[in-house]
Amino acid sequence: MKNLIKISVVLALGTCASGKMEAQRTQTVNGKNVVNPYYSRTNTNALKLPDATWKKVLNANLYSVARKGDTEMAFTGKYNDFDGIGTYYCGSCGNALFKSDAKFSSTCGWPSFFETIRPKSVIYRKDTSYNMERTEVLCGRCEAHLGHVFDDGPKPTKKRFCMNSIALEFEAMAKISK
């Protein structure tokens, strides 16, 4: 990405159709705070939205990666060396993607995981960009570009899901009080 802009992301609580409290994602888009109405951590129904709609609710950096397939620079993402305990969600739509116990240190410069939270959390697409053949990983709900998967990870899967931090949102596991 040529220009980096200041990213302001706020997770607030709102109610979903079931009446339960749910995180909402607010971002600064074109200088205005915008709530993403498509962000849900409970809804797993597929989202088929036009590009113009995503451009209105995602900040420029997330839009560039998630909708245009760009990649953040290695070793710069907020989750590269992060070791919090919790769940990683799609930054575009809130779909649950990975648990922290599947994260490992791969030294590749991006956060890496050896398995998804559930089989349909992500989908795959052949990527032949940059004269390489890779497997692109997309969000299973909104088809946001997350990164790529490789066959050089640890057991038991031997997979390395190499993800862009900006395409992820992390929620720490709630502390259990006695």
Side-chain angles (χ1 to χ4, degrees), residues 70-110:
D70 286 347
T71 300
E72 65 191 355
M73 289 178 49
F75 303 102
T76 64
K78 61 187 172 185
Y79 301 126
N80 181 46
D81 289 324
F82 182 76
D83 61 358
I85 298 172
T87 304
Y88 292 85
Y89 297 88
C90 174
S92 296
C93 74
N95 185 36
L97 301 170
F98 304 99
K99 288 282 190 188
S100 59
D101 60 4
K103 190 174 188 284
F104 67 98
S105 178
S106 68
T107 67
C108 69
W110 293 273

Side-chain angles (χ1 to χ4, degrees), residues 5-174:
I5 62 169
K6 181 180 176 185
I7 299 173
S8 174
V9 175
V10 176
L11 287 176
L13 292 177
T15 56
C16 62
S18 68
K20 294 181 182 178
M21 296 304 280
E22 180 171 24
Q24 292 181 332
R25 187 142 196 244
T26 301
Q27 297 185 55
T28 302
V29 180
N30 297 324
K32 298 177 185 174
N33 285 336
V34 176
V35 173
N36 179 347
Y38 311 105
Y39 191 91
S40 173
R41 291 191 176 168
T42 58
N43 186 344
T44 58
N45 295 329
L47 283 173
K48 300 288 184 186
L49 301 172
D51 193 57
T53 300
W54 287 115
K55 196 166 194 167
K56 291 177 186 174
V57 298
L58 302 179
N59 68 56
N61 288 338
L62 178 54
Y63 175 81
S64 178
V65 170
R67 307 319 307 176
K68 296 301 180 186
D70 286 347
T71 300
E72 65 191 355
M73 289 178 49
F75 303 102
T76 64
K78 61 187 172 185
Y79 301 126
N80 181 46
D81 289 324
F82 182 76
D83 61 358
I85 298 172
T87 304
Y88 292 85
Y89 297 88
C90 174
S92 296
C93 74
N95 185 36
L97 301 170
F98 304 99
K99 288 282 190 188
S100 59
D101 60 4
K103 190 174 188 284
F104 67 98
S105 178
S106 68
T107 67
C108 69
W110 293 273
S112 298
F113 304 85
F114 62 81
E115 68 184 353
T116 61
I117 201 166
R118 62 183 187 283
K120 294 186 179 184
S121 292
V122 300
I123 57 176
Y124 307 95
R125 182 168 55 198
K126 184 177 180 179
D127 179 0
T128 58
S129 62
Y130 303 105
N131 295 319
M132 294 186 278
E133 188 169 315
R134 301 178 289 175
T135 302
E136 181 181 15
V137 178
L138 306 165
C139 172
R141 181 169 183 245
C142 73
E143 297 186 10
H145 170 77
L146 302 171
H148 294 87
V149 64
F150 304 94
D151 292 324
D152 60 0
K155 292 180 180 179
T157 64
K158 297 187 179 182
K159 298 291 183 192
R160 176 172 53 96
F161 288 85
C162 186
M163 304 290 98
N164 289 288
S165 286
I166 196 167
L168 304 175
E169 276 300 318
F170 176 79
E171 182 176 293
M173 185 171 70

